[in-house]
Amino acid sequence: MKSTCPYCGVGCGVEIATDGQGGCRIAGDATHPANFGRLCVKGAALGETLGHAGRLLSPQVDGVRSSWSQALDTVAQRLNAVIREHGPQAVAFYASGQLLTEDYYVANKLMKGFLGVANIDTNSRLCMASAVVGYKRALGADAVPCCYEDFAQADLVVLAGSNTAWAHPVAWQRLVQAKQAKPEMKVVVIDPRRTATCDGADLHLPLRPGSDAALFSGLLHWLDLHQGVDTTMLPHLNGVEETLLAAAEWPLARVAEFCRLPPEDVERFYTLFLNSPQALTLYCMGINQSASGSDKCNAIINVHLASGRIGRAGSGPFSLTGQPNAMGGREVGGLANQLAAHMDFTPQNVDRLQRFWQSPQVADRPGLKAVELFQAVARGEIKAIWIMGTNPAVSLPDGLAVADALRRCPLTIVSDVTAQTDTAALAHILLPAQGWGEKNGTVTNSERRISRQRGFVPPAGEARPDWWILAQVAQRLGFQAAFNWNHPAAIFREHAALSGFENEGSRAFDISGLASLSDDGWDRMSPLQWPVNTRYPAGCARLFSDRQFYHPDGKARLIPLTPRLPSSRPSRAYPFTLNTGRIRDQWHTMTRTGSVPRLMQHYSEPFGELHPLDAGRNGIAEGDLMRVQSASGWMICRAHLSEAQMPGSLFIPMHWNSQYASHGKVDALVAAEVCPLSGQPESKQTAVRIGRWQPDWQGTLYVREGVVTGEGGPLWWVRIPEGEVTRYLVAGKGDPASWLAQQGVTSGLMLQTAGAGEDFYHLLGWRSGQLDLAFFSGARPAVAREAVLAAFSDPPATAQQRFALLSGRASAGCATGRTVCSCFGVGENQINEAIATGCDSTEALGVRLKCGTNCGSCLPELSRLIALARTAA
Ligand code: SF4
């Protein structure tokens, strides 16, 4: 069976072979046009996420297990009570780019068409809302012009604010392959950090954080000065004169000074662009997540429009979406400032939608965007919120305030697959939703390609599809006829029909060609790119090749810009700029990937990457615990020193949360500054200060059962699932022996200890000859993880062997180090040893250790380790 990976906007196809006993083998779908068989490490590990551990299995009302009918009745009754007393504007939905398009459509229809307000927003606001504004302002439609095939056709690929190698690994591999096939192709990376994406780039521009709009405005001016403006494009553009005038404020020397780049590097980039007939710019969170994110997007699009590098093979401004179905959410209108199906809130659109839906009232103005929505919850204006498949208590800026707002909200409903999340812990009503592999529907990837997700395993417990849950509640609210579907294909047909309703070429999103698909046809649907209509019955790879745009006059618009620096600036009190982002093996708030042991080995704990000079000045050494503080909150993470980090800046991943670490939520630090046009938060630049956090002791605890809590004194902990065993990294005050006793995890065990106090304390706990607990003090314990886990599964038989484990001698020679290749579990120590003994290429490492020979996600790190060894030699 074929399906689609649920993790990122690349939208890779997967092929599933079930074994009939609940197990399955998952491989890349060689026929899917997004990936042609490739998968990254997250996609390759999908089969390991199908278990029911940690799943929400039944509805719960006020902490008590409930039947579906009771839970749905309660949701409807309580929503009705809020609407009666405070009006529909006191109700809000917060949805997610993980929902399928069919789910999204029902949520949007219920809120905007039947409750009559537009208070539905989504976590896609955090991901690509600025990209939407950029496209709409310039092209008249939220329509990505490009496709992945363009990688192979480009002369120049510019990656701006995107660590593609880690965040969109299969897209990155396609790019690497394209460059191998066409060595003259140039790749330029624009990013304050030297990331894995810089591996193999021809030019890296480590610009001052947040200065991208000036760099692209300067490029526009450079093109203007050097005959780089396409005169045949001018009749198709508005705003040319004023935009070129604004760009003229940015001569090369000023750009170099403002962006803190060497002028010769800026000139090299500009010359490459000028001399590349086919140029593609890929951009992502580094551009979008900014208080001026929309302007940054338009600075990029301006350059492509003015130079005519759009609408033809190998060219265009290409926004990469972070989530698997952020694009599907955009199509149905799941953002608070969209109405539905690429319609906004004009009276004509409101009337059109009311006639199509035959609804009592359609929202006639935009609703609250994510950040302001949760601020309205905090002020008590929103009395009921329904959160679907997302974890805003972790992922929204000013996370502590968001959690506090939810704690005080009179009615919080959460539908999700996961039982324990920071957000679910605050809910009054929990509704179990079907997860990947169980549910059926469609998703749309970054290149507008609609693909099917298909169910192939039975739902966990009483989990139900999101569309069904929403429709059941809508029916109980009195809207039976409009929410009476019995199959997701029927919802898709309605969605497709709406896209074509009174469209006549006025709206880019048009899949009316799919409105009459049978259930069977929907089920068998092959991936295809919208629009799908009478003009493009088989879909369309590239938009705007006819230079017809979606503004009423058919022209595109250049947008005059005034580049601005981030709202949050370093100061004496907060001298560092914090950048947040993704790491290679984790996804969102770890709700799926956190349960897969091999995905937890690449990076197992929250870390902060900083330049060695900054570390030295602040008394911080590699591996120290570090307290990071902003005006909004603080966290603790492990310091990693790296010259890839610009002095004065700091990078911390956004994944960790209260389920996996005691003080690991980086969004607690990010201020609620947003782009005034898109409402997208400025998650990439927060002013912070740093300092060493000095506990009395550190250690590693392995337990077969039981959980670590904050009981027994101040404690920092990180939880790392290891299958049957849980590993905790812990640090605290006092001494570890007292802390372990207070935790109660040793009761009933036969204990074996070595050492005393915080300097050296090892403890093993045995039950019936089986190892049930192990503790080793030290930030870097003397006993390798591999040796401890082996002892849990195969207990040492003799007293000498047990003592060897206790003392640390058992682990000699088996410490592989931090995992670099997650597919084959190859660690940094093994790789360094292989390099030292003659492996001087990624290919040679692959032959010796197999690393890098499956999904290829680790290839940039293998190259970096080889380069480091060369430098050291
Ligand atoms: Fe999934 Fe990886 Fe493909 Fe993204 S790149 S869709 S995470 S397999």
Side-chain angles (χ1 to χ4, degrees), residues 5-12 38-44 167-171:
C5 174
Y7 287 131
C8 86
V10 179
C12 296
R38 299 177 190 85
L39 289 179
C40 77
V41 63
K42 294 191 287 290
H168 298 95
V170 168

Side-chain angles (χ1 to χ4, degrees), residues 472-559:
Q472 288 293 314
V473 170
Q475 290 181 23
R476 283 164 169 79
L477 290 171
F479 311 122
Q480 286 86 350
F483 293 85
N484 199 21
W485 306 284
N486 55 15
H487 194 288
I491 303 169
F492 184 84
R493 283 191 289 272
E494 185 178 314
H495 165 56
L498 175 59
S499 75
F501 184 60
E502 299 176 1
N503 186 330
E504 287 148 22
S506 62
R507 306 191 300 271
F509 178 67
D510 180 358
I511 56 167
S512 51
L514 301 170
S516 55
L517 274 182
S518 65
D519 290 0
D520 189 45
W522 176 83
D523 201 34
R524 287 187 287 103
M525 191 166 76
S526 298
L528 78 179
Q529 286 170 281
W530 61 259
V532 186
N533 50 21
T534 44
R535 186 176 175 196
Y536 300 108
C540 177
R542 259 172 228 101
L543 301 181
F544 309 116
S545 47
D546 57 1
R547 296 186 167 182
Q548 282 299 302
F549 299 92
Y550 285 92
H551 287 297
D553 60 3
K555 295 184 181 185
R557 289 182 191 160
L558 299 190
I559 307 293

Side-chain angles (χ1 to χ4, degrees), residues 275-290:
N275 295 333
S276 300
Q278 315 303 341
L280 194 64
T281 305
L282 307 178
Y283 55 102
C284 198
M285 308 303 174
I287 296 295
N288 298 339
Q289 289 180 332
S290 159

Side-chain angles (χ1 to χ4, degrees), residues 89-293:
Q89 67 278 3
V91 175
F93 291 172
Y94 188 62
S96 146
Q98 285 82 59
L99 293 181
L100 303 176
T101 299
E102 291 76 3
D103 304 325
Y104 245 133
Y105 178 85
V106 180
N108 194 54
K109 180 177 178 181
L110 175 55
M111 178 55 77
K112 291 186 184 139
F114 287 79
L115 300 186
V117 289
N119 284 342
I120 172 170
D121 213 45
T122 147
N123 62 7
S124 299
R125 177 73 58 194
L126 316 179
C127 159
M128 33 42 49
S130 298
V132 173
V133 171
Y135 282 137
K136 286 186 75 172
R137 283 203 296 180
L139 312 176
D142 174 21
V144 178
C146 317
C147 59
Y148 298 146
E149 279 175 22
D150 287 324
F151 296 180
Q153 317 265 350
D155 303 309
L156 169 68
V157 176
V158 181
L159 296 133
S162 165
N163 184 5
T164 320
W166 278 17
H168 298 95
V170 168
W172 170 248
Q173 287 171 33
R174 287 189 68 159
L175 186 56
V176 169
Q177 193 183 37
K179 188 162 165 57
Q180 282 165 351
K182 187 177 171 185
E184 67 277 18
M185 175 205 281
K186 299 292 182 217
V187 175
V188 175
V189 176
I190 299 168
D191 196 318
R193 275 199 307 153
R194 195 175 73 237
T195 65
T197 302
C198 298
D199 181 56
D202 298 280
L203 177 64
H204 171 214
L205 296 175
L207 79 179
R208 177 190 196 180
S211 62
D212 314 71
L215 184 66
F216 281 94
S217 293
L219 173 56
L220 181 61
H221 180 52
W222 177 270
L223 294 172
D224 190 25
L225 291 179
H226 295 84
Q227 291 72 53
V229 170
D230 181 352
T231 51
T232 69
M233 191 71 189
L234 296 180
H236 305 281
L237 300 176
N238 284 320
V240 176
E241 206 171 312
E242 49 276 42
T243 306
L244 292 178
L245 203 62
E249 298 287 315
W250 294 94
L252 191 146
R254 185 180 177 209
V255 170
E257 188 187 348
F258 186 82
C259 299
R260 297 183 185 149
L261 290 168
E264 57 276 15
D265 285 357
V266 176
E267 184 170 346
R268 191 168 160 222
F269 167 45
Y270 288 0
T271 308
L272 276 173
F273 198 98
L274 179 72
N275 295 333
S276 300
Q278 315 303 341
L280 194 64
T281 305
L282 307 178
Y283 55 102
C284 198
M285 308 303 174
I287 296 295
N288 298 339
Q289 289 180 332
S290 159
S292 57

Side-chain angles (χ1 to χ4, degrees), residues 648-663:
S649 63
L650 186 71
F651 172 80
I652 299 180
M654 48 74 72
H655 308 287
W656 272 272
N657 55 76
S658 304
Q659 312 307 313
Y660 289 92
S662 60
H663 302 85

